[in-house]
Structures are given as structure tokens and as C-alpha cells.
Amino acid sequence: MTRPVTVGVDGYPESRAAADWAAKEALLREAPLRVVHADEWPRVPAVPPVDREEHQRWADTVLDEASGELRRRYPELAVTARRLTGRAAAVLAVEAADSQMLVLGSRGRGAVEGFLVGSVGMATVGLTDTPVVLVRPAATFPSGAPESRPSGNVAVGRDVVVGVDIHETTDAVLAFAFDEAARRGCGVRAVHGWSLPFAFSYAPGLDPGVRQEVADGIAGAVAERLRPWRGLYPSVKAEERVLVGAPAEQVLHDAADAELVVVGRRIRRAPVGGHLGHVAHAVLHHATAPVAVIAHD
């Protein structure tokens, strides 16, 4: 059986946008869509008090409305719905374990400020090794109105942007980026930001050729990382962009017109939970396009 694409919904606009994006992704992957709602009962008494049965009815309504709308918009898509009780991040991580990907919403705050990834989203990213995609409402409805086209097609010509760290194992990250680009019929822009070591700032007589030599070496390393994926995906146009500057800033700059942004997260088995590097953290909070976080060793 094909593993599903799973989306978490909570009744807010960002989760509705995430559900719509997830439905289109499921169609691209020819996979079923699983819609889940985590019914997280307050651990401390609420003021005013909340009736347990009323709270569950509200949760069921959220789930029924979200899944019903998706079935109406995408009748060719197999949609299932599930309400689960427990801590939201833990429940979503469990559901992600047997999924191709987990899709969540992010709260929009405008292009300048970026958007807020809530505590549930951040915690869930760190708890699962499954790819997690964070979607903001504007990414699905750029004109401010619901899209009427009932299909999984996406805009043509907008690339998948992927952050490449030549000092990390990037196979999982690049595999995801190339696979997504192939499904969408678009290209890949692989971005790497770099700067000379701090010690070079104290060498005023430094040969100007040294900077170019370093830049050429880094460009060669990025191209080498892309080489096997270009071979596996000959239809995907891949461009490496080696830019001087902070990696997060360079990825964000290139991601302004992206179809999807892909960043990596190193897997660290620790009692305090997963690790999210500064590049992934910055991109999650400031990119306007959907962001996929890919766990890797």
C-alpha cells in the first residue's frame, strides 16, 4: 500500500492552506491523504472551564469540515480523517512515522516580518525523521482568494530551492529536492553561502587570487554534490549558486520566488529532542514559500 501524505489541521486558516497544499502533493505522488487533528486536552484547568464533550464535538467539526472540503475540491483523491488524543507534537510525529511527508501550517505575519512557526510545529519537526513541510496561507492563495482549479498541478517555472552544506551529508536533502522538482516539471537551484575565514581579515596583503581559488573550490564541491542527482534526474535543470554571505540569507534571497524551499536538519539522538540548525531555523521563520525540512545523518 502506498504510504499517505499526512496533514495536521486545527481549524485555523494556516492549517486549511496546509491541507490544500498537502492534497495537491498527494495527487502529485499518487498517494492517499490522511487528515489528522490532535485533540490536546489542557493539562491545567481552563478559565472559564471547558466541557470535555463540547471540546471533542468542536474537534470533530474541525476534522469533518477540513476533510469534507478536500473531498469536494479533489474528488479523485482518497481522503481519510482521524482525531487523536494526546500532546499535539507527539501525536503528529507518530502519524508522520508511516507517511511520505507531514504537512503543517505556519502563521503568516507578512513578507517583511516573516511568519511564525508555533511551538507545535517546531517541536514536531524535531521529533520525526519524516520530511515535514511548513505552509503559510499566502503560499496556497497568493491572490487572497481560494484557487478554483481542482487539480494537483502547480505553477510552472518556479524552481525548487535547496540549501546545500558541503560540510554535511546532503544526499537525503538533494534527493527530496530533485524528486519534488521532477514531479513539478521545474528546476532545482542549489544555494551555498560562504565567506573567507575570519583570520583572512587580518591579512591586508592577501593575494586577490586566493579568494577566487577558494570560491572555485567551493563551487566544485557543490557541483560534485549535484553530479549524481543530475544523472538520476536528467529532465531536471539544476543550477548551483555559490554566493558570498551568510548561508541563511543567501537561501532566503533565492527562495523569494521559489515553488518550494528545502533545507536539512541533522539527526541528533538526545533526550531533549531533535536539533534544528540556524539555517533551517531562519528559513522556517522568514521564507514566504513552503519549506520542507529533511532530516539527515
Side-chain angles (χ1 to χ4, degrees):
M1 180 179 294
T2 304
R3 291 184 300 152
V5 171
T6 295
V7 60
V9 298
D10 58 11
Y12 290 95
E14 55 268 22
S15 79
R16 291 197 291 272
D20 192 80
W21 192 95
K24 293 175 181 177
E25 182 70 19
L27 288 172
L28 286 174
R29 291 172 174 261
E30 298 182 343
L33 180 66
R34 178 194 295 164
V35 184
V36 300
H37 175 78
D39 185 9
E40 184 171 356
W41 186 247
R43 287 175 290 171
V44 296
V47 179
V50 178
D51 179 79
R52 178 70 171 176
E53 291 186 359
E54 183 178 343
H55 180 79
Q56 290 179 340
R57 285 195 295 272
W58 172 83
D60 287 336
T61 299
V62 166
L63 198 56
D64 290 344
E65 289 180 350
S67 57
E69 177 63 18
L70 291 172
R71 292 187 182 103
R72 287 189 293 273
R73 287 174 60 83
Y74 306 101
E76 68 274 43
L77 181 62
V79 180
T80 59
R82 184 181 300 178
R83 174 171 64 83
L84 301 166
T85 302
R87 297 284 299 278
V91 165
L92 291 168
V94 169
E95 291 298 297
D98 66 345
S99 305
Q100 296 190 42
M101 71 168 56
L102 174 66
V103 183
L104 302 173
S106 291
R107 194 163 302 157
R109 297 191 302 177
V112 176
E113 294 180 87
F115 64 93
L116 177 66
V117 181
S119 59
V120 171
M122 292 295 286
T124 306
V125 168
L127 287 174
T128 179
D129 296 346
T130 300
V132 180
V133 179
L134 281 297
V135 180
R136 66 177 297 183
T140 303
F141 307 133
S143 64
E147 185 176 321
S148 59
R149 185 181 61 218
S151 75
N153 296 331
V154 293
V156 176
R158 298 173 61 189
D159 290 338
V160 172
V161 170
V162 55
V164 178
D165 186 344
I166 60 174
H167 305 294
E168 298 277 356
T169 302
T170 56
D171 284 352
V173 180
L174 289 172
F176 186 91
F178 272 82
D179 184 67
E180 287 293 311
R183 294 179 189 278
R184 288 166 163 71
C186 65
V188 167
R189 293 204 304 270
V191 181
H192 177 83
W194 71 280
S195 58
L196 282 172
F198 185 72
F200 281 109
S201 62
Y202 292 98
L206 182 68
D207 184 340
V210 170
R211 176 184 287 271
Q212 188 60 51
E213 184 179 343
V214 173
D216 291 344
I218 294 174
V222 174
E224 182 61 23
R225 292 297 180 93
L226 297 183
R227 183 179 56 79
W229 304 105
R230 283 180 163 130
L232 287 171
Y233 294 90
S235 65
V236 175
K237 180 182 178 181
E239 174 189 2
E240 58 262 34
R241 293 179 56 79
V242 178
L243 306 167
V244 177
E249 292 179 5
Q250 300 307 326
V251 172
L252 284 167
H253 181 269
D254 251 59
D257 63 346
E259 178 69 28
L260 177 68
V261 188
V262 184
V263 292
R265 175 185 73 82
R266 184 188 296 179
I267 298 172
R268 292 184 178 174
R269 308 298 181 187
V272 295
H275 169 76
L276 193 64
H278 69 278
V279 174
H281 189 276
V283 172
L284 277 173
H285 281 82
H286 295 284
T288 55
V291 178
V293 182
I294 312 302
H296 62 85
D297 293 325

